[in-house]
Amino acid sequence: MIVPLANLSNCLMAGAAGDCIGGPMEGAVSERFRLPTPTWNISDDMVLSLATAKALLATRTVDPAAIAAGFVQVFSQGGIPGLGASTLKALRDLKDGVHWALAGRRGERAAGNGAAMRIAPLGFFLDVSDVSSRRTIRDVCRITHHNDEAYVAALAVLLAMQMPQGGSLTSLAATLPDTRVRDVLLQLAALPHGATSEQAALLSGTSGYAPESVPLALYLAFTATSVEEGIIAAVECGGDTDTIASMVGQILGARGLSPPREWSAQVPCRAEISELCASSIDSNR
């Protein structure tokens, strides 16, 4: 089920809050939660998510070429903070004129979470249960990550966004291809009720490797009752905190939940998100 455009603002704002809050603690083994001071900053997670959303809203379709062009535009305007090796390689190639279908990094080192972290806006335009939609999702992932694990991780994020209320990690995993992402997701789903986020993180791992960070983000999103709870849990797990917290926020925001107002007030791209989402709702009437 395609996510209503009315939830796009919550998705992007919650994702931005997770990115900003998780950023200063990225790489930590485990941390007690604290809010950033004095200013909040977004990283590649939200820069590329916003670029994806803009391309989709401008064309009203999912066009990998338009999305890639949007990435090149923001990259050419002064770089993007926090880029991983695979995304950086792809953006440099795209800027030099390489076709979007050939720019993405290949091999085991391309199994990072860079595709999953920016994929959420597609959930407002594509029905993930449709076979042709999945091919399009794979193409969008391949702009930067030409790798099956990276694709399945991104697919899992979209499935989580579009899953009906009451859905489980087990049922989500059952719809995924046979990959490490699915295996880790099933292991997390088997944790006993009441397991802590730290226990989940020890089981999955918290690095930028997609089969670690994405299943953990899904687990935290499925067990949290609010954006605040999910982001706090993601940050306290340590590791790739900005991306994991951003993915948790985007999934919960797509379900209609919003971050605390005091968090939204600190997000540096809040005006951009508000303007983008207001125009999308107006044009959809």
Side-chain angles (χ1 to χ4, degrees):
M1 180 179 66
I2 296 175
V3 183
L5 268 176
N7 291 357
L8 179 60
S9 178
N10 281 343
C11 175
L12 294 175
M13 194 70 76
D19 185 19
C20 292
I21 293 169
M25 287 178 271
E26 183 180 13
V29 175
S30 182
E31 285 277 0
R32 293 192 63 182
F33 179 80
R34 62 181 184 276
L35 292 173
T37 56
T39 57
W40 291 26
N41 298 292
I42 60 172
S43 71
D44 56 332
D45 301 83
M46 282 314 297
V47 172
L48 294 177
S49 293
L50 281 169
T52 300
K54 288 178 182 178
L56 298 176
L57 291 168
T59 62
R60 290 285 158 170
T61 187
V62 182
D63 178 5
I67 294 172
F71 291 171
V72 172
Q73 182 178 11
V74 294
F75 184 62
S76 300
Q77 289 171 347
I80 302 172
L83 284 174
S86 294
T87 304
L88 178 59
K89 177 264 180 195
L91 292 181
R92 283 173 172 168
D93 286 352
L94 288 168
K95 187 178 179 181
D96 289 341
V98 174
H99 191 277
W100 65 263
L102 302 175
R105 193 176 186 180
R106 299 170 183 265
E108 291 184 8
R109 292 184 177 274
N113 55 24
M117 75 182 188
R118 59 175 170 79
I119 204 68
L122 272 68
F124 296 84
F125 291 85
L126 293 176
D127 182 351
V128 189
S129 64
D130 180 69
V131 174
S132 63
S133 292
R134 292 196 178 199
R135 286 195 292 267
T136 302
I137 293 163
R138 182 187 291 272
D139 285 343
V140 172
C141 292
R142 285 178 171 177
I143 296 172
T144 55
H145 292 70
H146 215 288
N147 177 280
D148 286 345
E149 295 286 355
Y151 157 66
V152 173
L155 177 63
V157 170
L158 294 174
L159 284 166
M161 290 170 55
Q162 296 187 354
M163 181 166 284
Q165 291 292 331
S168 67
L169 287 177
T170 303
S171 58
L172 190 158
T175 66
L176 296 176
D178 184 10
T179 52
R180 178 64 179 159
V181 169
R182 188 185 72 174
D183 291 345
V184 175
L185 199 56
L186 287 171
Q187 291 172 19
L188 290 171
L191 284 172
H193 180 71
T196 66
S197 56
E198 288 79 7
Q199 289 173 318
L202 286 172
L203 178 60
S204 66
T206 60
S207 76
Y209 179 48
E212 293 189 7
S213 55
V214 174
L216 178 60
L218 295 173
Y219 176 85
L220 297 176
F222 271 66
T223 54
T225 59
S226 68
V227 170
E228 183 177 13
E229 180 184 341
I231 288 176
I232 289 174
V235 171
E236 291 187 340
C237 284
D240 195 6
T241 48
D242 58 337
T243 300
I244 297 172
S246 182
M247 290 189 290
V248 170
Q250 289 182 71
I251 294 167
L252 293 173
R255 294 180 176 180
L257 301 179
S258 57
R261 290 185 179 180
E262 59 270 26
W263 287 11
S264 297
Q266 296 296 317
V267 170
C269 56
R270 60 190 179 279
E272 183 180 3
I273 291 173
S274 296
E275 182 179 351
L276 180 66
C277 294
S279 64
S280 72
I281 292 173
D282 289 342
S283 61
N284 203 45
R285 287 175 179 168

